[in-house]
């Protein structure tokens, strides 16, 4: 009979095979045509669901392992999709989600096509302090435009249900939340995590994914939630760091319940994105010292910033506009501050690399620090929260 320790190691090995999702996010000081954001370029949202990943400059990473790449940057993301946005003058996000593949047999899903045509029936939140109810809205009949747009195609984790409530983006009052990755040990600490959440958050969790509960953890750490409609970057960044530390700590506790097992613990991939419709915070994080997270790239535009799992095109000129967000780095944006990128982990943090460095094959062809703002405070907070529990080099 398999021992509990061996069983845990078996589950750990399975966790390494967990697939990841892909997403596109925009936040800016002006509205953009969301249809162009989602469909322009050879590597648009539909391609992210079905095509071989476009990962320029990833091979320049000091942690690059070709065998690991397809485990965290998968080709097929057909277990559901969703798009959320904020209408002008509205504080709460509208959202269209589906458990269907976004594209099948080269034909886009009817709900997605209706969204592009202005015929979809989006859901809009009405909220009180103790409840959050989504209600269908009349189709807009106009172009989908917004200052903040989140889009996601899902590759479900093993044993996860394919249903609409498990499709991203998730919403917590005025916040929109995305996750690309996997929280190790989640199945074992899920109930304990729910028990620790403030009661006002529980009605906001409709699905059963680690991603949505991670969003609830974020909201629980966010100063002013749910009484505020918008948040400053200090509060958003602090909540993001606390969320990563909280989930990391819980994974470690699960691992340590079996003392006879090896100390080496399977890592989590915690690529999170959050917006209140005005500001954006994104983190690319993997708890292993020697492995990369799923990819995230960003592109600054006149109106704001676009963050995506992959660049929109493999064209050489287009790649010059995209930058690979370094491992264990956090990007933040608001119209008043612009784009800032900071290291959040003193143990393992990599510089950003221009996607165009893909052609030179040398990191020195990269734009490492165009938007880098050293953040001793951020690194110190995360280091303090994790303390000596940070795992040894894998």
């Amino acid at each position: 009979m398999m021992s509990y320790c061996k069983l845990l190691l078996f589950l750990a090995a399975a966790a390494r095979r967990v697939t990841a999702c892909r997403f596109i996010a925009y936040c800016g000081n002006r509205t953009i045509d969301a249809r162009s954001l989602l469909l322009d370029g050879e590597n648009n949202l539909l391609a992210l669901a079905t095509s071989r990943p476009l990962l320029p400059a990833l091979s320049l990473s000091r942690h690059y392992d070709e065998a690991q790449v397809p485990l965290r940057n998968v080709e097929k993301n057909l277990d559901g999709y969703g798009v959320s946005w904020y209408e002008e003058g509205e504080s709460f996000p509208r959202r269209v989600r589906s458990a269907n593949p976004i594209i099948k047999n080269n034909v886009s899903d009817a709900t997605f096509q209706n969204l592009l045509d202005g015929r979809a029936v989006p859901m809009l939140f009405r909220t009180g302090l103790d409840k959050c109810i989504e209600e269908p809205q009349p189709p807009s009949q106009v172009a989908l435009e917004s200052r903040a747009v989140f889009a996601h195609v899902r590759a479900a984790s093993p044993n996860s249900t394919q249903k609409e409530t498990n499709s991203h983006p998730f919403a917590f009052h005025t916040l929109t939340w995305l996750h690309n990755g996997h929280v190790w040990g989640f199945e074992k600490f899920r109930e304990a995590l729910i028990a620790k959440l403030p009661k006002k958050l529980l009605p906001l969790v409709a699905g059963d994914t680690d991603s949505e509960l991670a969003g609830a953890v974020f909201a629980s750490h966010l100063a002013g939630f749910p009484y505020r409609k918008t948040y400053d970057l200090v509060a958003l960044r602090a909540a993001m760091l606390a969320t990563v530390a909280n989930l990391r700590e819980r994974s470690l506790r699960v691992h340590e319940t079996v003392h006879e097992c090896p100390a080496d613990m399977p890592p989590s991939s915690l690529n999170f994105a959050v917006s209140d419709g005005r500001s954006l915070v994104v983190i690319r994080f993997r708890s292993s010292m020697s492995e990369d997270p799923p990819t995230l790239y960003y592109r600054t535009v006149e109106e704001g910033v676009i963050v995506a799992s992959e660049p929109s095109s493999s064209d050489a000129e287009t790649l010059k506009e995209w930058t690979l967000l370094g491992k264990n780095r956090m990007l933040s944006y608001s119209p008043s501050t612009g784009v800032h990128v900071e290291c959040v982990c003193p143990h393992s943090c990599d510089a950003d690399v221009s996607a165009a460095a893909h052609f030179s094959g040398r990191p020195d062809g990269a734009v490492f620090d165009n938007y880098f703002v050293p953040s001793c405070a951020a690194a110190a907070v995360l280091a303090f929260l994790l303390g000596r529990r940070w795992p040894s080099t894998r």
Side-chain angles (χ1 to χ4, degrees):
M1 183 175 180
M2 182 181 291
S3 70
Y4 183 66
C5 181
K6 289 182 178 179
L7 176 61
L8 190 63
L9 292 177
F10 173 79
L11 294 173
R16 294 178 189 274
R17 298 193 293 271
V18 168
T19 54
C21 312
R22 314 305 274 162
F23 70 75
I24 301 172
Y26 162 79
C27 189
N29 57 21
R30 294 206 301 254
T31 61
I32 63 167
D33 184 344
R35 294 174 300 180
S36 296
L37 174 72
L38 303 182
L39 296 179
D40 283 357
E42 71 195 62
N43 206 35
N44 56 34
L45 187 65
L46 297 176
L48 290 180
T50 58
S51 300
R52 182 178 179 180
L54 173 64
L55 309 172
L58 180 62
S59 61
L60 302 178
S61 166
R62 60 194 172 114
H63 308 294
Y64 181 73
D65 181 347
E66 186 175 1
Q68 292 286 320
V69 171
L71 301 182
R72 289 184 284 283
N73 300 274
V74 301
E75 181 174 329
K76 302 298 182 183
N77 297 275
L78 297 170
D79 297 324
Y81 66 92
V83 178
S84 68
W85 69 98
Y86 296 78
E87 292 280 344
E88 194 70 26
E90 292 181 355
S91 299
F92 295 90
R94 297 187 176 219
R95 182 170 61 170
V96 170
R97 296 188 296 172
S98 174
N100 296 331
I102 193 171
I103 186 170
K104 185 176 182 180
N105 299 326
N106 293 321
V107 177
S108 59
D109 185 61
T111 299
F112 182 68
Q113 192 58 53
N114 286 341
L115 174 66
L116 299 177
D117 295 340
R119 294 183 287 112
V121 179
M123 305 299 288
L124 175 67
F125 279 93
R126 276 194 313 105
T127 185
L129 295 181
D130 59 350
K131 63 180 179 179
C132 202
I133 304 170
E134 269 190 314
E135 293 185 338
Q137 301 297 302
S140 62
Q141 303 295 335
V142 296
L144 179 58
E145 297 184 343
S146 180
R147 292 173 182 260
V149 181
F150 275 31
H152 187 277
V153 286
R154 183 177 183 232
S157 300
N159 302 319
S160 181
T161 308
Q162 186 175 339
K163 57 183 180 180
E164 183 178 310
T165 53
N166 282 345
S167 294
H168 307 225
F170 302 108
F172 298 90
H173 284 215
T174 61
L175 302 173
T176 300
W177 176 266
L178 290 176
H179 176 211
N180 168 208
H182 175 70
V183 182
W184 188 84
F186 169 74
E187 296 80 8
K188 292 185 175 296
F189 66 73
R190 181 178 186 275
E191 295 305 319
L193 178 61
I194 291 174
K196 287 291 186 180
L197 288 174
K199 290 184 178 180
K200 63 177 177 280
L201 276 169
L202 297 181
L204 308 186
V205 179
D208 52 26
T209 64
D210 57 350
S211 302
E212 187 175 23
L213 274 175
V217 171
F218 176 89
S220 73
H221 287 295
L222 182 60
F225 183 88
Y227 303 99
R228 297 178 59 89
K229 290 184 177 180
T230 59
Y231 302 85
D232 60 49
L233 284 180
V234 173
L236 292 170
R237 288 162 57 237
M240 186 66 81
L241 293 174
T243 299
V244 170
N246 184 318
L247 296 173
R248 181 62 181 152
E249 175 72 13
R250 290 184 179 277
S251 293
L252 282 163
R253 288 179 185 175
V254 167
H255 179 69
E256 291 174 353
T257 57
V258 183
H259 299 289
E260 69 269 22
C261 291
D264 188 22
M265 190 187 82
S268 298
S269 288
L270 306 178
N271 285 12
F272 296 132
V274 66
S275 177
D276 61 359
R278 297 179 180 274
S279 302
L280 174 71
V281 173
V282 179
I283 193 168
R284 180 177 179 235
F285 185 91
R286 187 160 176 85
S287 54
S288 167
M289 297 279 284
S290 59
E291 295 179 0
D292 281 318
T295 56
L296 285 177
Y297 296 80
Y298 64 93
R299 173 189 175 196
T300 57
V301 293
E302 182 180 356
E303 301 87 353
V305 63
I306 300 170
V307 181
S309 297
E310 302 170 22
S312 57
S313 173
S314 61
D315 175 74
E317 290 302 311
T318 301
L319 289 182
K320 291 179 181 178
E321 302 173 358
W322 287 91
T323 300
L324 174 63
L325 184 64
K327 174 185 177 180
N328 296 349
R329 304 258 277 181
M330 183 165 64
L331 178 149
S332 57
Y333 167 83
S334 74
S336 60
T337 64
V339 175
H340 294 290
V341 181
E342 58 195 306
C343 174
V344 300
C345 176
H347 301 272
S348 178
C349 187
D350 293 346
D352 297 355
V353 182
S354 168
H358 172 79
F359 294 103
S360 67
R362 301 194 311 273
D364 59 6
V367 183
F368 285 105
D369 297 306
N370 274 2
Y371 304 100
F372 173 55
V373 177
S375 178
C376 295
V381 168
L382 191 56
F384 172 76
L385 291 170
L386 293 177
R388 291 181 299 171
R389 287 182 171 272
W390 191 269
S392 58
T393 302
R394 298 191 66 257

